[in-house]
Amino acid sequence: MIKAVLYIHVLSATAWVGGSLLLFALGILLRDRDAQKSVYAHLGPIYGYFETFWLTLLWITGLTMFFHFGIDEAMAHAPGSHLASLMHTKLMMVGVITVLTAIHMYIAFKTHTAERTPLEHLVSRGSSMLIFLLNLVIVWYAIGIRDLL
Ligand code: HEM
C-alpha cells in the first residue's frame, strides 16, 4: 500500500517539477514576444490548475508517508538527527513554494486579461524563479531522506 503512495508521490513530483522546467524553458527559448504572450495566455490557466493538482497530491502523499514512517516521532524525539534535519529543511522549502505558488497564481489570475503593474511583474517573475530553484533543491533533499529510511 505504502509503495502505491510513494509511486503517486514520485509521479506527482515528476509532473510538478517537469511542468516548471517546461515553463522555464519556454520563458528562455521563446524569444518572440507576441508568441510568448499568446502561449502564456492559453497555457497559463491550464498550467495553474495542473500544477495545483500535483502539488496537492504531493502534500497528501508526502504527509501519509511522513506519519507511516514515523518521521513525526523522529523529529519530536531526535530533532538533531540527520533524518529530522533533512525533513525539517524539506518541509520548510515545500512550505515556501506552496506560499509562493499561491501568490503567483493570485497575480496570474488577477492580471490574466489586464496589464501588470511593475510590482506585480517583479513578484510574479521572482516567485516563479524561486519556485523553480527550490524544486531542484527539494528533489536533492528527497533523495537524502529516502537513503535514511
Ligand atoms: C514540491 C514538493 C515535493 C517534491 C518535489 C517531493 C519529491 C520527492 C521525491 C522525488 C521523492 C522520492 C525520493 C527517492 O525515492 O529517492 C520523495 C520522497 C519522500 N517525500 Fe517528498 N516531495 C515533495 C513534498 C513532500 C512533502 C510535503 C512531504 C511530507 C510532508 C514529503 C515527504 C516525503 C517522504 C517521507 C519521502 C520518502 C518516502 C520513501 O522514500 O519511501 N514530500 N519526495
Side-chain angles (χ1 to χ4, degrees):
M1 175 62 189
I2 201 67
K3 214 168 172 186
V5 176
L6 174 63
Y7 176 84
I8 298 171
H9 194 74
V10 173
L11 185 70
S12 308
T14 61
W16 162 262
V17 181
S20 80
L21 285 176
L22 175 68
L23 236 72
F24 186 75
L26 273 181
I28 292 175
L29 300 174
L30 200 60
R31 299 311 318 168
D32 184 300
R33 281 195 67 77
D34 286 340
Q36 204 177 73
K37 249 189 165 170
S38 160
V39 166
Y40 278 90
H42 288 94
L43 194 64
I46 301 170
Y47 177 75
Y49 293 122
F50 178 86
E51 290 293 82
T52 306
F53 173 77
W54 294 113
L55 184 59
T56 307
L57 269 187
L58 277 168
W59 271 108
I60 295 170
T61 51
L63 283 172
T64 305
M65 293 189 295
F66 181 75
F67 292 114
H68 175 87
F69 290 121
I71 303 176
D72 54 330
E73 287 180 13
M75 288 177 81
H77 301 302
S81 64
H82 193 34
L83 176 63
S85 92
L86 282 180
M87 195 70 228
H88 183 258
T89 310
K90 180 179 171 184
L91 276 177
M92 296 284 280
M93 290 189 290
V94 180
V96 169
I97 62 165
T98 304
V99 173
L100 289 176
T101 300
I103 295 172
H104 187 86
M105 280 185 69
Y106 172 75
I107 296 175
F109 280 107
K110 187 180 151 211
T111 60
H112 185 50
T113 51
E115 276 299 312
R116 282 183 187 172
T117 65
L119 179 65
E120 284 169 341
H121 201 72
L122 181 75
V123 174
S124 177
R125 279 279 166 117
S127 57
S128 58
M129 179 60 91
L130 252 177
I131 292 169
F132 174 75
L133 293 174
L134 279 175
N135 272 337
L136 302 180
V137 185
I138 288 171
V139 173
W140 186 256
Y141 271 75
I143 295 170
I145 293 167
R146 171 93 185 146
D147 277 350
L148 296 174
L149 291 176

